[in-house]
Amino acid sequence: MSNRKIRVGITHGDTNGIGYEVILKLLEDVRLADLCTITVYGSAKVASFYRKAMELPQVQFNRIDAAADARDGAYNIINVVGEDLKVEPGLPTEAAGAAALASLEAAVADLRNGDIDVLVTAPINKHTIQSSTFHFPGHTEYLEASFTSEEDPCKALMVLCSDRLRVALVTTHTALAKVPEAITKEAIVEKLVQFDRSLRRDFGVQSPRIAVLSLNPHAGENGLLGTEETEIIAPAIAEAREKKILAFGPYASDGFFGSGNYASFDGILAMYHDQGLTPFKTLAMDAGVNFTAGLPFVRTSPDHGTGYDIAGKGEASPESLRSAIYTAIDIFRNRGIYDEAYRRPLRRQHLEKERSEKGEKPEKTDKPAKEPAKE
């Protein structure tokens, strides 16, 4: 892999939320520039507004017109919105939504061009960002659609991660009333295949153990409280195990998290949004990160929202954003290591065959025995 610094693009998110506060607080630490090259897609004027309003230390931005011009060792910023943008902390407005979309579109364009390596997104308001070009429930679905085609389909997987826990979701931004119909054996198997591959390639887990949660209380109580566990989830787990995926369950989520059983697994697959994110955010606190697996690039974000209630008050913590940047860098590096290890699989298989013919024991390794199934 190249020794150059990883180029991180940060979108400013909703300009009336806490995005700028956490970005400015994060960039107070000048040592971050020694780790990566950062480009903020936003507005120098809005950044100055929040810095002065909250009396934050000065952050020196290098103003550039394109990410390709980003200066190493500096914090770069690209103005993607007009000077007339009205900032109204704590208020959801169409102008703030349009500014969030402009930032996101500019960053995605630079990802396509290879001018940044990873994307870190500050929180958006999922209502005000809606437009003729953004008609999605959130970042995850927008990014999946932006990088998919008939020739090269892209399937995104939402993964919430911290140093203690990794939670993936079968359904993401789906209304609770529609969740049961979206829980199918095929959907669960697909997500397990994706999750297994991501744990190996993105997180460096060689033989990941994945716990699968139930849909109904008490895992359905043998059909008394629901039959999805016996008719859909358990068969999906069995099919995944036929694919050499170490999947276990289904587990009732209340006892699973309450007993600490989650610590025995490398990943947890939840059936729906709040089932997985409520315990995750309780356990991860400020260190939680939202990672979108399954994309051709690395995208992370803080695990919190726009924080309208505290916007502009100086109370927001930058720790989740800091974790999002560190996680993006780690995953980018892990992918490079993984891809290099599997770049010449025939050569590796030849060496293993030679050892077998000579009666030698297989070489001990922390890599998987073979490449996981393709997504």
Side-chain angles (χ1 to χ4, degrees):
M1 294 182 65
S2 170
N3 290 323
R4 69 165 172 77
K5 291 179 184 175
I6 295 172
R7 300 164 299 174
V8 179
I10 303 177
T11 60
H12 64 185
D14 189 292
T15 51
N16 291 340
I18 60 174
Y20 272 99
E21 179 180 348
V22 296
I23 290 171
L24 290 169
K25 286 181 175 180
L26 174 72
L27 300 186
E28 289 176 13
D29 187 349
V30 296
R31 295 173 298 177
L32 194 59
D34 295 329
L35 177 65
C36 58
T37 300
I38 288 180
T39 297
V40 176
Y41 293 82
S43 166
K45 182 179 178 180
V46 176
S48 178
F49 170 89
Y50 277 105
R51 184 190 67 77
K52 292 176 182 177
M54 294 179 288
E55 299 181 344
L56 297 175
Q58 179 76 43
V59 173
Q60 294 295 334
F61 280 112
N62 175 43
R63 300 190 188 188
I64 57 177
D65 295 323
D69 301 326
R71 193 173 76 217
D72 194 16
Y75 294 135
N76 305 278
I77 190 167
I78 300 174
N79 287 319
V80 297
V81 297
E83 291 289 310
D84 59 345
L85 174 66
K86 185 177 181 181
V87 181
E88 301 178 85
L91 296 178
T93 66
E94 289 185 7
L101 180 56
S103 175
L104 182 59
E105 289 179 332
V108 168
D110 283 344
L111 277 170
R112 292 184 186 280
N113 294 332
D115 292 329
I116 56 175
D117 298 312
V118 302
L119 174 64
V120 179
T121 58
I124 60 173
N125 180 309
K126 295 176 178 61
H127 176 70
T128 61
I129 198 174
Q130 298 297 315
S131 72
S132 59
T133 57
F134 191 104
H135 42 81
F136 305 93
H139 277 114
T140 302
E141 295 82 1
Y142 170 82
L143 294 169
E144 179 183 76
S146 296
F147 285 86
T148 196
S149 65
E150 291 184 6
E151 298 78 19
D152 188 17
C154 177
K155 289 288 187 179
L157 175 69
M158 182 184 287
V159 180
L160 278 292
C161 55
S162 70
D163 58 351
R164 303 174 59 191
L165 195 58
R166 302 181 193 97
V167 177
L169 306 176
V170 176
T171 62
T172 52
H173 301 114
T174 302
L176 192 57
K178 296 182 179 180
V179 166
E181 65 188 58
I183 300 299
T184 65
K185 186 179 81 167
E186 293 74 19
I188 296 171
V189 172
E190 179 184 272
K191 299 302 183 182
L192 282 170
V193 170
Q194 284 184 276
F195 200 15
D196 179 80
R197 178 169 171 77
S198 178
L199 288 169
R200 294 172 186 270
R201 184 175 182 238
D202 300 327
F203 294 97
V205 182
Q206 286 70 43
S207 299
R209 292 166 49 86
I210 302 173
V212 181
L213 301 184
S214 64
L215 176 65
N216 297 297
H218 306 293
E221 288 282 13
N222 294 317
L224 181 64
L225 302 178
T227 60
E228 284 85 357
E229 285 71 25
T230 56
E231 296 179 357
I232 298 173
I233 302 176
I237 293 172
E239 183 173 328
R241 291 184 71 89
E242 291 176 0
K243 297 177 182 291
K244 309 302 181 185
I245 295 173
L246 300 179
F248 304 86
Y251 297 99
S253 60
D254 58 347
F256 181 80
F257 287 101
S259 66
N261 197 18
Y262 65 88
S264 301
F265 296 91
D266 301 297
I268 299 154
L269 184 67
M271 293 298 111
Y272 58 94
H273 187 279
D274 285 12
Q275 182 189 48
L277 269 60
T278 299
F280 174 84
K281 291 186 178 183
T282 301
L283 293 165
M285 301 298 288
D286 289 335
V289 174
N290 181 354
F291 164 56
T292 307
L295 299 176
F297 63 89
V298 178
R299 176 260 171 169
T300 63
S301 73
D303 70 346
H304 57 70
T306 54
Y308 285 144
D309 57 326
I310 59 172
K313 298 180 181 179
E315 300 174 9
S317 168
E319 290 312 306
S320 186
L321 179 61
R322 189 189 314 277
S323 295
I325 291 176
Y326 290 163
T327 299
I329 291 172
D330 285 344
I331 291 173
F332 183 83
R333 289 173 173 165
N334 287 341
R335 284 188 177 184
I337 294 169
Y338 182 95
D339 293 346
E340 177 63 22
Y342 286 100
R343 188 168 60 87
R344 296 186 293 173
L346 292 179
R347 172 63 177 163
R348 186 177 65 257
Q349 291 171 14
H350 175 70
L351 292 174
E352 290 173 353
K353 182 179 179 181
E354 279 189 347
R355 293 191 185 97
S356 178
E357 291 174 347
K358 292 178 181 178
E360 298 175 2
K361 293 182 178 180
E363 185 181 42
K364 289 186 177 180
T365 175
D366 59 356
K367 297 184 178 63
K370 65 178 182 178
E371 186 174 7
K374 299 292 185 183
E375 294 180 27

